[in-house]
Amino acid sequence: MQHDSVLLEAAFRALDSFKIELPSWGFANTGTRFGKFLQPAAASTLEEKFSDAGQVHKLTGVTPTLALHVQWDLPNGIADAESVRRLESLHGVSAGSINPNLFQDQEYKFGSLCNPSSGVRERAVAHLLHSVAIAHQLGSKDISLWLPDGSNYPGTQSIRKRIAWLEEALVRTHGALAPEQRLLIEYKPFEPAFYHTDIADWGMASLLAAKAGPQARVLVDTGHHYAAQNIEQIVAWLLHTGILGGFHFNDRRYADDDLTLGSIDPYQIFRIFHEIHLSGPSLLGSMAFMIDQSHNLKGKMEATVQTVASAQELWLKAALVDREKLALLQDRCELVAAEELFRGAFWQDVRPIVREWRAARGLPEDPLAALGASGYVQRIGAERGAKLAPATSYA
Ligand code: PSV
Ligand code: MN
């Protein structure tokens, strides 16, 4: 396929600028609240998660970091930092964002940072401060906080008191950040709480980030919105106000489904990426692109490679929007022409260009096929599956 050289240059620049972080939990056995379907190739140790992430990075070249969840990956806290360093150099990926966990301990039944008990709140803040210290030790820039707190029944909690407790906790956490670190604040409308969630949307997250301090930012998880919400408009606002810190990408049909990025609505991810491209390349260094998916049915390695490739394709499609021409058409209110230009960029098949870019960067042109040919999934399936109970069968 012949490409115009200017277009190819712009495309390569866009692809060179794109990196996306993998979630350690995306390689582990996870499920729904109805149960787990175990996969023999799933990672159950941190070493296996690093190995899987390293393999994805080797195949795609764009996933140099692995997000870690403190309680799942670093059960000994900062004492585990040394083994993380060893795994980083063994598998060629670095620790990425550090995710505190305020949602599993029994003490957090009625909340963590917003619990009416000052003792529980103190414990939750201590966990955040410890997470900041872990991140510092590992050279991780971002502490990525998702808060499950909320309540299930009207009148059972003081929403106002909880706002104040939350502000206080975030200010204290922010105070412990090193100058190069950031506190990313994620929002979610519901689940596990079903009446009110303490950080339910981008407005609350923005106000809390502003209150916490200048190194706090908002994290947008694409699955954490009501079905009809216009996420790219939220992204545009967060960019405009300079408070956007990053993304957890996934797709959804109903709620927080954790489906593969772009599997249900690729146009939406394209529209979000367009907003980011509009802000110019200087912004990219400060934007954390992360995947937050857990694959219950698909093979984890295959789904992850597929996700990364989809993200690259959508990123490139959005990069190739002729933004100057679009601005002109918008100013003239030439609606159909503007829409056709925008839609046209989405509909073009950029896969041949991505393949060319991969070849030029010494990467396999088809990472999914290369994963299959490498025998990696079969090997880990046999090795790891053997450790599981022999009575377990897998479909
Ligand atoms: C919560 O639904 C969430 O999106 C948070 O980012 C958590 O850290 C992650 O999922 C855990 O799966
Ligand atoms: Mn998330």
Side-chain angles (χ1 to χ4, degrees):
M1 192 176 176
Q2 282 293 6
H3 305 295
D4 162 71
S5 68
V6 179
L7 176 119
L8 207 60
E9 227 175 88
F12 274 33
R13 249 198 325 275
L15 289 169
D16 282 336
S17 71
F18 187 76
K19 301 276 177 288
I20 192 159
E21 182 163 307
L22 302 173
S24 70
W25 53 97
F27 298 111
N29 271 320
T30 46
T32 67
R33 63 200 164 106
F34 299 104
K36 279 183 187 178
F37 296 109
L38 302 182
Q39 297 187 16
S44 56
T45 65
L46 188 57
E47 165 116 45
E48 291 172 351
K49 292 171 188 172
F50 264 94
S51 167
D52 292 356
Q55 188 67 17
V56 174
H57 187 42
K58 214 161 84 186
L59 293 168
T60 64
V62 298
T63 61
T65 56
L66 180 66
L68 300 177
H69 232 286
V70 174
Q71 193 154 324
W72 302 335
D73 298 321
L74 309 159
N76 307 304
I78 206 157
D80 286 328
E82 219 177 288
S83 45
V84 172
R85 290 216 172 286
R86 188 180 60 80
L87 295 174
E88 286 179 331
S89 57
L90 205 61
H91 298 290
V93 284
S94 310
S97 63
I98 299 299
N99 294 247
N101 188 316
L102 297 173
F103 49 91
Q104 277 186 316
D105 293 356
Q106 292 300 312
E107 286 87 341
Y108 298 148
K109 181 172 177 182
F110 300 119
S112 58
L113 300 176
C114 301
N115 193 301
S117 152
S118 61
V120 176
R121 293 202 301 276
E122 206 48 48
R123 183 196 149 116
V125 171
H127 179 70
L128 291 188
L129 297 178
H130 189 62
S131 301
V132 173
I134 294 172
H136 197 238
Q137 183 78 12
L138 291 174
S140 293
K141 179 177 171 190
D142 291 327
I143 292 89
S144 189
L145 171 68
W146 169 65
L147 188 76
D149 291 21
S151 68
N152 277 0
Y153 299 98
T156 59
Q157 283 292 300
S158 161
I159 296 173
R160 298 279 297 271
K161 273 191 196 164
R162 292 168 71 107
I163 295 172
W165 291 329
L166 190 46
E167 286 177 340
E168 189 196 321
L170 295 179
V171 167
R172 282 175 67 191
T173 307
H174 190 282
L177 296 175
E180 70 285 358
Q181 287 188 306
R182 306 190 306 172
L183 178 65
L184 304 183
I185 302 175
E186 185 173 353
Y187 58 89
K188 181 174 180 176
F190 69 93
E191 196 207 27
F194 293 116
Y195 164 60
H196 104 278
T197 294
D198 289 290
I199 313 179
D201 67 21
W202 67 282
M204 298 175 207
S206 296
L207 291 170
L208 287 166
K211 182 88 183 181
Q215 290 159 241
R217 297 280 184 283
V218 174
L219 187 146
V220 176
D221 183 316
T222 44
H224 292 188
H225 299 87
Y226 294 113
Q229 262 178 312
N230 181 335
I231 304 178
E232 63 270 23
Q233 187 182 12
I234 293 173
V235 170
W237 267 96
L238 294 172
L239 286 165
H240 178 74
T241 51
I243 208 153
L244 180 60
F247 291 88
H248 273 179
F249 285 114
N250 49 53
D251 212 339
R252 46 72 72 72
R253 179 68 186 83
Y254 298 102
D256 188 21
D257 308 339
D258 274 349
L259 300 182
T260 313
L261 176 153
S263 57
I264 303 288
D265 187 358
Y267 194 33
Q268 178 177 77
I269 305 288
F270 167 86
R271 298 191 305 260
I272 292 172
F273 281 157
H274 171 66
E275 291 302 324
I276 295 167
H277 285 300
L278 276 176
S279 300
S282 60
L283 176 97
L284 278 179
S286 62
M287 201 52 56
F289 289 148
M290 302 181 266
I291 295 165
D292 184 3
Q293 294 173 182
S294 35
H295 305 285
N296 196 20
L297 303 179
K298 281 181 177 174
K300 291 157 201 305
M301 287 295 295
E302 294 90 334
T304 306
V305 170
Q306 187 191 30
T307 299
V308 173
S310 306
Q312 280 182 299
E313 288 159 15
L314 292 164
W315 176 253
L316 179 55
K317 283 171 188 268
L320 296 180
V321 169
D322 185 338
R323 289 183 287 277
E324 256 175 56
K325 191 164 174 201
L326 184 65
L328 214 72
L329 295 171
Q330 289 173 343
D331 286 347
R332 292 191 198 137
C333 292
E334 294 193 26
L335 308 189
V336 173
E339 189 187 13
E340 283 305 307
L341 184 155
F342 196 61
R343 256 166 36 95
F346 174 69
W347 283 113
Q348 69 190 316
D349 185 3
V350 295
R351 287 173 300 179
I353 307 182
V354 184
R355 275 199 292 277
E356 245 177 89
W357 174 82
R358 291 194 186 113
R361 298 291 176 262
L363 295 161
E365 286 187 34
D366 181 344
L368 207 48
L371 173 67
S374 72
Y376 181 82
V377 178
Q378 287 79 354
R379 182 169 64 73
I380 59 170
E383 284 169 12
R384 298 173 189 177
K387 288 190 276 176
L388 294 168
T392 318
S393 70
Y394 312 99

